[in-house]
Amino acid sequence: MVVRPTVMEVDINNFLYNIEKIKEYVNGTMIMPIIKANGYGTHINFCTDVINSFDIVGVALVDEGIVLRNNGYKNDIFVLNQPYVEEIDNIIDNNIVVGISDFSFLEELGKRKDKLRVHIEIETGMGRTGINPKDIDLFLTLIKKYSNVEVEGIYTHLSSADYDSEYTKKQLDIFRDSVCKIENIIGKVKYIHCSASNGILNYPDSYYNLVRSGIIMYGYQSFDKTFDKIDLKPVCKLKSKITFLKEVDEGTSIGYSRKFITTRKTKIATIPIGYADGIRRCYKGDVVVLGKRCPIVGNICMDSLMVDVTELDNVKVGEDVSIWDNDIITVEEIGEKTNQINYEVISTVSDRVPRIFIK
């Protein structure tokens, strides 16, 4: 039973609505939902009844895949980032598919008797991981030595599909040539994918037979014009309650280091959410109380923050407070005021904040 007044509300119906809109947009192309980082902070990855409707899901870590297996997910789990050698036993035990891009890791897989399914990552210009296209022949020669290693996919990541069409098209050309080379050598591959949220919305010719839906699946924009292209509903709200209320005189200091001094008789509300819950200490913004913006005053504490509610006549202890409600205050506004992107704002909400699923 959840008793803490600070919670993240996660609307499952909005999530399912977004999935349907993405399906319409990609016109039947298979979707691999990316549910890494605990579903971008939403914990939707724990909603097994929802996740089990997908044939394949993407995570970043082997440990995230193990959590899914332990929660009853039966279908394919793909780890986007090449794991560590020490994780191979867990990969085998949990029937996890992994991305690979390193010769030495491939050699370690080849030493095993168990069948291992992999997707080959191609470096097309992200500058992170992936096989240099010049090394494909050599890499495939090594793969063919290992009968236990099955190439089930080929993929890459588009670094600038939100704003740089020339560079993105260059990446797509490199990827297309690499896919052709690989399939000419080893035959048709089950999954080919390169488009995450920005690629989905901006490059419909890049879908191949699988797309990786990320932030748009949770109802948030992946670039400024997202909502001009697709109708989405934000999935989560961060909420709390007023737990302490007081009226103080002019000249009263509020919070650590006396960073705020009242200039009038002021009504101060204390809200039990702080930087240990994911609210940046540097945040100088508002919260929503009774449908109105109220400014945060003083330094944000580890477990609480203080708000000036002087302008509210009927405010009381126990009143609902929204850190973001996706209407008056958005995650994009918070990100702008804390030098973050919306991905960061939702994915860094601490696990000590309970998630409440609304269906």
Side-chain angles (χ1 to χ4, degrees), residues 35-50:
I35 53 174
K36 62 181 179 176
N38 283 329
Y40 286 47
T42 65
H43 288 202
I44 276 176
N45 56 310
F46 292 103
C47 297
T48 310
D49 57 332
V50 174

Side-chain angles (χ1 to χ4, degrees), residues 81-179:
N81 304 318
Q82 180 180 283
Y84 303 102
V85 169
E86 292 79 9
E87 296 179 299
I88 293 176
D89 285 339
N90 283 337
I91 292 166
I92 293 168
D93 292 343
N94 291 278
N95 189 24
I96 291 172
V97 186
V98 296
I100 61 169
S101 57
D102 179 71
F103 282 87
S104 60
F105 185 77
L106 173 57
E107 289 170 349
E108 291 297 327
L109 295 183
K111 293 176 183 178
R112 302 305 182 102
K113 295 179 181 178
D114 304 271
K115 179 181 175 182
L116 287 144
R117 295 178 293 152
V118 302
H119 292 203
I120 298 173
E121 182 181 7
I122 307 299
E123 164 60 294
T124 60
M126 179 67 184
R128 187 168 61 187
T129 51
I131 299 163
N132 189 314
K134 294 185 297 184
D135 295 330
I136 286 174
D137 288 326
L138 186 58
F139 199 76
L140 293 178
T141 299
L142 186 59
I143 282 180
K144 288 165 77 173
K145 287 175 56 179
Y146 305 128
S147 59
N148 68 313
V149 178
E150 178 184 352
V151 178
E152 198 170 75
I154 309 167
Y155 72 112
T156 195
H157 193 75
L158 304 176
S159 72
S160 309
D162 52 339
Y163 79 98
D164 191 332
S165 61
E166 182 178 350
Y167 191 78
T168 301
K169 288 173 182 175
K170 185 185 196 180
Q171 282 194 270
L172 291 171
D173 287 344
I174 295 169
F175 186 62
R176 183 190 63 246
D177 292 345
S178 299
V179 169

